Amino acid sequence: MSPVWPSPAVPVRSVWAYNFNAESDSLRSAARRARYVAVNVHYPGVVHHAGGQDHNTLTAEQRYALVKANVDGLTPLQVGVALYGNDDGYLGAWEFNLRDFRPRADPHDEKSLAYLARRGLNVGALRDHGVRADMLCATLFESGLISPRRGPPRSWITYAGAYHVAYLVKIVTRGAALPEDVAGFDDAVRRYLGNQVYDVAWMAGDCPAMPLGLERIAAHLGFHLPLWSPQLAAAAGVRALQVFMHLKYGEFGGNVQMYRGLLEGLH
């Protein structure tokens, strides 16, 4: 079933400690019908850089080494998950607010935290009222979204996704260090997410009429803002999913296999 455009405004369900069990049940129920899953992770910036070297001149292994150094050393703040079913359309979006980050002790980039604060992220509230990343890990496994052999085939969607997918791998491996090289990372992605992982940034880059940036693309295509939390991780997941569905069926005739496994910022 191909989607109908424009899609309706998708509600975002903000998940904290007080409603974690109820919202986890809701996610598990919706996951049974999901065939597309979008993920976006908010994290406290990057602290390891390429030393002034143009990122585009780095090899894939050099780019991955930077991703690994940052993801291994930093703590995710918020995870957004948006679901789409072939028969049901948009199933909703969940925004998991994580409590593990310690702003006074953990490495971070102050400008990145300030940017997220301007978009509405309250780091203090995360620490006081959020959920542990290992609780989210358990929910994702119980839902069947992780470890694709347990359920029907699904596609995972992201935008400029090297860090988003890398943090997701860190979460579902309970904080373990990322694999040592790109091949090991690609194996881990296939193990936990399957072999249908797509980055909307790669796809949009082959569409000359598309502007740069996920929010600009979504606005250009006329998509409604997500409801209740329009500027944080789940909203970005919703937008990535909306744009992916439009590009897959509206620009590429349903065939996007050439983009499978390619993550912007890594491959």
Side-chain angles (χ1 to χ4, degrees), residues 170-214:
K170 178 176 181 175
I171 289 168
V172 300
T173 57
R174 296 184 179 275
L178 292 179
E180 291 300 319
D181 55 23
V182 174
F185 177 72
D186 288 344
D187 285 344
V189 172
R190 285 190 292 268
R191 182 180 314 124
Y192 294 110
L193 306 186
N195 62 3
Q196 300 290 325
V197 178
Y198 297 95
D199 191 321
V200 174
W202 267 99
M203 297 167 62
D206 285 341
C207 300
M210 294 297 162
L212 295 176
L214 180 58

Side-chain angles (χ1 to χ4, degrees), residues 193-247:
L193 306 186
N195 62 3
Q196 300 290 325
V197 178
Y198 297 95
D199 191 321
V200 174
W202 267 99
M203 297 167 62
D206 285 341
C207 300
M210 294 297 162
L212 295 176
L214 180 58
E215 292 185 355
R216 291 188 180 94
I217 295 172
H220 173 74
L221 295 175
F223 290 119
H224 298 289
L225 290 175
L227 298 175
W228 305 330
S229 181
Q231 297 194 90
L232 294 173
V238 169
R239 292 186 181 102
L241 189 51
Q242 290 171 325
V243 173
F244 172 82
M245 300 304 288
H246 176 92
L247 294 181

Side-chain angles (χ1 to χ4, degrees), residues 132-155:
R132 299 190 314 272
D134 66 322
M135 296 168 64
L136 172 58
C137 172
T139 291
L140 291 173
F141 274 101
E142 291 165 2
S143 72
L145 294 176
I146 299 297
S147 190
R149 287 172 294 181
R150 293 181 52 194
R154 296 185 179 93
S155 296

Side-chain angles (χ1 to χ4, degrees), residues 229-267:
S229 181
Q231 297 194 90
L232 294 173
V238 169
R239 292 186 181 102
L241 189 51
Q242 290 171 325
V243 173
F244 172 82
M245 300 304 288
H246 176 92
L247 294 181
K248 178 178 180 178
Y249 292 104
E251 301 290 337
F252 298 109
N255 182 10
V256 293
Q257 290 299 300
M258 70 285 281
Y259 299 105
R260 186 176 63 178
L262 298 176
L263 294 176
E264 180 78 11
L266 180 57
H267 297 103

Side-chain angles (χ1 to χ4, degrees), residues 28-233:
R28 285 191 289 266
S29 177
R32 291 194 292 267
R33 294 171 285 148
R35 296 299 177 266
Y36 296 88
V37 187
V39 65
N40 182 277
V41 180
H42 280 339
Y43 50 92
V46 296
V47 298
H48 299 281
H49 302 275
Q53 189 174 352
D54 184 351
H55 193 269
N56 293 323
T57 67
L58 300 178
T59 66
E61 293 296 344
Q62 289 172 324
R63 291 193 293 272
Y64 177 71
L66 287 174
V67 172
K68 174 177 166 57
N70 282 293
V71 173
D72 284 351
L74 300 177
T75 304
L77 305 172
Q78 192 180 67
V79 178
V81 177
L83 304 181
Y84 185 97
N86 281 343
D87 297 324
D88 304 284
Y90 292 93
L91 300 170
W94 289 259
E95 195 161 78
F96 290 89
N97 296 285
L98 304 180
R99 63 163 299 163
D100 308 272
F101 176 67
R102 301 168 299 168
R104 294 187 178 181
D106 292 342
H108 60 275
D109 177 71
E110 287 288 351
K111 291 183 179 178
S112 294
L113 288 186
Y115 167 77
L116 292 174
R118 290 193 299 271
R119 295 182 69 87
L121 186 69
N122 185 331
V123 172
L126 296 181
R127 188 66 179 165
D128 293 338
H129 306 294
V131 302
R132 299 190 314 272
D134 66 322
M135 296 168 64
L136 172 58
C137 172
T139 291
L140 291 173
F141 274 101
E142 291 165 2
S143 72
L145 294 176
I146 299 297
S147 190
R149 287 172 294 181
R150 293 181 52 194
R154 296 185 179 93
S155 296
W156 280 79
I157 315 302
T158 187
Y159 181 88
Y163 277 93
H164 303 305
V165 173
Y167 274 110
L168 183 60
V169 170
K170 178 176 181 175
I171 289 168
V172 300
T173 57
R174 296 184 179 275
L178 292 179
E180 291 300 319
D181 55 23
V182 174
F185 177 72
D186 288 344
D187 285 344
V189 172
R190 285 190 292 268
R191 182 180 314 124
Y192 294 110
L193 306 186
N195 62 3
Q196 300 290 325
V197 178
Y198 297 95
D199 191 321
V200 174
W202 267 99
M203 297 167 62
D206 285 341
C207 300
M210 294 297 162
L212 295 176
L214 180 58
E215 292 185 355
R216 291 188 180 94
I217 295 172
H220 173 74
L221 295 175
F223 290 119
H224 298 289
L225 290 175
L227 298 175
W228 305 330
S229 181
Q231 297 194 90
L232 294 173

